[in-house]
Amino acid sequence: MTAPPTLGMGFALAEPARGGRVEFQAVRKAYAGRTVLDDLSFSVKAGEKLAVIGPSGSGKTTILRLLATLDRPDGGEILVDGESLWNEQRGEQRVPASEKHLHHMREKIGMVFQLFNLFPNMTVIDNITLAPVLTKRMKRDEAVERGRGFLLNVGLADKEHAWPDTLSGGQKQRVAIARALALEPQIMLFDEITSALDPELVEEVLNVIQSISRDRAMTMILVTHEMGFARDFADRVIFMDGGAVVEEGPPDAIFGRPSQERTRTFLKKIIAAGYDLSGPIA
């Protein structure tokens, strides 16, 4: 019998999550009358690592918020493994998703936010085990054992009983990653997870993401301004502007040989601002 795959630093998962497919079909979203996503269509293959880049206000984070069911689209369709996220079939009718349907779909998706969102009145291990116990009815002892494994994976095995306010920003973000992994999602969403960190803490978080991307089959969608990391991490990169996909392709093509002038202009501004793209732009 083949041994189960390990998660980076040796934590074996009995049933590692497979990746889920994602598809946006002509999705529209506006806030206060301002269009943020404009008939957006794209897809992500099961197990694919996708980086989404673009200027502020281009709609990157909105993609993640719609997938995480934090916001509802104004039009179009979002599919996860071919199943509608925001609608369901009830008899002969297609109706808006019920809370039961949304709960079922949320079990497939994990999200790590910019600002950690840890519960300050709970220890690290309690932050990680809360959702598996409440939503998956996992026994507390099992959840703690698995939580310790995920803490080992993110390099925080010694912080099990620590309180969030005693941790550095990088440590808090690594706990947030462990908490998301504990639900065994098929799809992981990362929203500018280094933007709130001091520069010297960024690398420790990116190293954890890179380890997860190598060791796990899950689909990963990363919104980031860390272009060098996006180039190393992603199977494919999408450049967005004005709520639409301007260009997409392999990292070397997008960062080294972009075909669209808007992409070239954006990346040259990124270089001028001091970000390393690990190579020239053609």
Side-chain angles (χ1 to χ4, degrees):
M1 182 175 179
T2 303
T6 59
L7 190 64
M9 300 171 69
F11 175 50
L13 294 176
E15 189 65 36
R18 64 180 179 83
R21 292 181 292 111
V22 174
E23 187 172 359
F24 276 56
Q25 299 177 345
V27 173
R28 302 186 305 278
K29 181 62 182 177
Y31 296 100
R34 184 177 72 86
T35 298
V36 179
L37 298 182
D38 187 10
D39 286 335
L40 177 67
S41 296
F42 73 94
S43 61
V44 188
K45 294 182 294 185
E48 188 175 21
K49 313 303 188 255
L50 178 72
V52 184
I53 65 171
S56 297
S58 60
K60 306 184 300 297
T61 292
T62 300
I63 288 173
L64 303 189
R65 291 186 62 84
L66 296 181
L67 264 175
T69 70
L70 297 174
D71 290 332
R72 180 182 292 274
D74 297 323
E77 186 76 272
I78 301 173
L79 303 176
V80 175
D81 281 339
E83 187 173 6
S84 177
L85 182 61
W86 285 101
N87 297 285
E88 62 180 308
Q89 202 70 25
R90 194 171 298 163
E92 298 297 318
Q93 290 187 315
R94 188 171 176 79
V95 299
S98 64
E99 188 56 39
K100 181 180 179 180
H101 177 80
L102 289 174
H103 177 76
H104 160 68
M105 299 301 287
R106 286 176 188 134
E107 290 186 339
K108 303 180 181 185
I109 301 166
M111 184 165 177
V112 183
F113 300 86
Q114 296 180 37
L115 297 176
F116 328 128
N117 291 347
L118 300 180
F119 295 108
N121 61 330
M122 293 184 178
T123 63
V124 164
I125 195 66
D126 286 339
N127 265 278
I128 292 171
T129 58
L130 179 65
V133 170
L134 290 181
T135 67
K136 293 201 167 185
R137 300 294 188 263
M138 189 179 292
K139 292 182 179 179
R140 166 73 180 171
D141 289 348
E142 180 186 356
V144 168
E145 181 180 358
R146 291 173 60 80
R148 286 170 177 158
F150 288 115
L151 281 175
L152 177 65
N153 176 238
V154 300
L156 293 174
D158 61 333
K159 299 296 183 182
E160 173 182 345
H161 300 296
W163 298 94
D165 63 2
T166 68
L167 304 178
S168 70
Q171 289 171 333
K172 289 177 183 177
Q173 195 59 287
R174 285 187 281 156
V175 171
I177 293 168
R179 180 177 61 181
L181 288 172
L183 285 170
E184 286 294 293
Q186 296 176 22
I187 301 162
M188 278 282 281
L189 313 176
F190 300 96
D191 182 22
E192 296 280 17
I193 60 171
T194 60
S195 63
L197 301 179
D198 294 333
E200 64 269 22
L201 301 177
V202 169
E203 186 175 0
E204 69 182 61
V205 173
L206 295 183
N207 285 342
V208 168
I209 300 301
Q210 193 69 278
S211 176
I212 294 168
S213 73
R214 288 193 303 265
D215 295 342
R216 310 212 68 194
M218 68 172 61
T219 305
M220 300 172 73
I221 303 177
L222 174 82
V223 168
T224 186
H225 63 275
E226 299 286 345
M227 300 299 158
F229 179 72
R231 188 170 193 163
D232 293 339
F233 158 87
D235 299 317
R236 184 164 55 102
V237 177
I238 284 178
F239 171 65
M240 291 190 63
D241 193 29
V245 174
V246 174
E247 186 169 359
E248 62 179 292
D252 286 347
I254 296 297
F255 291 114
R257 302 179 305 279
S259 63
Q260 300 298 313
E261 181 59 34
R262 180 67 187 94
T263 312
R264 289 193 290 271
T265 300
F266 171 77
L267 293 176
K268 286 175 180 177
K269 286 181 179 179
I270 289 292
I271 289 176
Y275 289 99
D276 178 17
L277 301 190
S278 301
I281 299 172

